[in-house]
Each structure stands twice: as structure tokens, then as C-alpha cells.
Amino acid sequence: AQSVAQPEDQVNVAEGNPLTVKCTYSVSGNPYLFWYVQYPNRGLQFLLKYITGDNLVKGSYGFEAEFNKSQTSFHLKKPSALVSDSALYFCAVRPRSYNTDKLIFGTGTRLQVFP
Amino acid sequence: DSGVTQTPKHLITATGQRVTLRCSPRSGDLSVYWYQQSLDQGLQFLIQYYNGEERAKGNILERFSAQQFPDLHSELNLSSLELGDSALYFCASSTAGTGADTQYFGPGTRLTVL
């Protein structure tokens, strides 16, 4: 079965420190990969996506993600965390082999940035 | 603001009732998706429409149905509601519905079934 794993329910980091939110996937082929962020009582906001090419993808608000094909991972990173980055982060994949554009989401990781 | 609008923001109703959730996609987007977010199931794809036609179905119950109208807005109809249908329902839209397209999400409709 196609699936996405976010192994950490919560990540805690001090403001100014680098952060990493992990994502691995089990999807056949070379899927498209996405990161979204959800703030309380808000919808999902698109951060970045990987289609092809450079393994390091840069996105909104200073976030970037590193694609690793051999490890089937797509970890979200930021060099210096802000308190305002505290939110729920979702990794999602869209298998290229599907005749549909549905996104398969991970369970989400809550990021808490402490001042 | 993603440009995707959803109404209503909140909906409280009783078991056995029927409700309709509405979504207006971003200007120019032809594809609309519906997702359900619940504590136990996470974010689940329900259904996708492209330019008025159903393109794909996910884990959508038979009690649920959707349509996309000629002006491209979409409605999700939920009937014979059960307590377990309480969730946040998101609509998303994308330009052409191809794999690399980014899906932009609306703010969601929070449904509470009492």
C-alpha cells in the first residue's frame, strides 16, 4: 500500500536553531512530493514541492526540503527556526502512476519553537 | 489567502440530517478536490472533479456525494449524518489537475454532528 510516514508526532526546537521535520514514503515510481503547513483553525498552506532535478528544494518562509531517492525521504528543514513557525506540518505524495491527482498525506508533525 | 473559498466555516447539525458544503476554486483552476480531516483518520482524499466531470474517488462513503457546476464551484453533500462524520472538510483546487500541479486549500468547513 502507498503510504507516507512522519515518524515524529512533535518536534521541539529553540528559536534560532535549525529544525528538521522528517518524512519518508512508500510509493512506487518517482512520486511528486509536497510539504504543507497548517496553523490553528486555518487551512493547509503550500510550502514547497519536489518534481524533478535538484534534490534540495527551496520554498516559502525560508523552508527547504531535501529529497533522497535511496532513502525515500523528503525531510523539511530550516536553518533558523522562528516562534511563528510553530504549527502542524504535513508531508504529502502524489504517485505519478495514478490516474488521479489525489495527495496521500502523512499524519502530521507538530513543530513547537520555544523562545 | 489561497484564493479558495469555502462556506460555511462551521456547521452544527444532528444525526440523520443532510448538509451541503460549498467550495469556490481559485480563479482559473479547473480541478477541485475534497478532503476530510479527522483525529482518527487524518487527512483523507474523498473525491476529485475536473472541469465538471468526476475524475477520481477516494474513501468517500455512499452517503456522501459531490458535484462540480459549470461555473466550476463544487458542492459536497453529506446525508444521513452520523457522529463519526464530525470532521474538518477541506476543498482544494489546482490549475489543470496534472500530477505536478500544486493543490491550494481552502480554510475548511468544520462539521459537528450531535
Side-chain angles (χ1 to χ4, degrees):
Chain A
Q2 319 257 353
S3 63
V4 177
Q6 292 182 243
E8 300 153 319
D9 289 338
Q10 180 155 329
V11 170
N12 299 316
V13 63
E15 188 173 33
N17 283 1
L19 69 88
T20 298
V21 182
K22 296 179 181 177
C23 172
T24 59
Y25 59 90
S26 175
V27 175
S28 58
N30 298 312
Y32 302 107
L33 304 164
F34 300 81
W35 275 101
Y36 286 84
V37 59
Q38 185 177 25
Y39 295 97
N41 301 313
R42 302 279 295 275
L44 279 76
Q45 294 180 29
F46 169 72
L47 281 179
L48 50 80
K49 67 181 176 184
Y50 175 80
I51 302 173
T52 188
D54 193 348
N55 289 344
L56 188 63
V57 179
K58 293 190 182 299
S60 307
Y61 313 118
F63 284 93
E64 56 191 27
E66 187 170 12
F67 169 63
N68 187 316
K69 185 175 181 179
S70 62
Q71 297 185 4
T72 61
S73 67
F74 189 55
H75 300 333
L76 182 70
K77 300 182 178 184
K78 188 174 183 181
S80 179
L82 299 173
V83 172
S84 57
D85 292 330
S86 299
L88 189 56
Y89 290 80
F90 289 95
C91 179
V93 303
R94 188 277 185 190
R96 297 188 193 222
S97 59
Y98 273 11
N99 185 28
T100 173
D101 304 299
K102 76 172 187 178
L103 292 172
I104 302 170
F105 283 91
T107 51
T109 297
R110 187 164 300 281
L111 173 66
Q112 191 72 46
V113 181
F114 294 95
Chain B
D1 184 4
S2 67
V4 179
T5 60
Q6 290 187 248
T7 57
K9 287 186 178 180
H10 302 277
L11 202 48
I12 301 175
T13 188
T15 55
Q17 295 299 304
R18 172 190 169 93
V19 297
T20 297
L21 313 183
R22 182 188 170 102
C23 167
S24 293
R26 295 186 319 154
S27 177
D29 283 359
L30 298 177
S31 201
V32 169
Y33 313 76
W34 287 97
Y35 291 85
Q36 179 193 59
Q37 185 179 33
S38 62
L39 284 175
D40 54 344
Q41 297 288 330
L43 266 163
Q44 298 282 324
F45 167 75
L46 295 178
I47 197 163
Q48 177 195 3
Y49 278 83
Y50 177 75
N51 204 20
E53 299 291 325
E54 181 184 305
R55 172 169 276 190
K57 264 187 175 180
N59 301 321
I60 189 167
L61 300 172
E62 286 191 9
R63 300 183 284 110
F64 296 0
S65 65
Q67 54 185 325
Q68 186 180 27
F69 294 86
D71 67 353
L72 301 177
H73 91 271
S74 178
E75 292 181 356
L76 179 67
N77 300 296
L78 315 176
S79 61
S80 302
L81 285 168
E82 302 175 0
L83 296 177
D85 297 328
S86 295
L88 196 51
Y89 291 85
F90 287 113
C91 168
S93 74
S94 70
T95 306
T98 60
D101 274 359
T102 298
Q103 294 181 26
Y104 292 93
F105 284 74
T109 293
R110 183 170 295 281
L111 173 66
T112 302
V113 182
L114 301 176

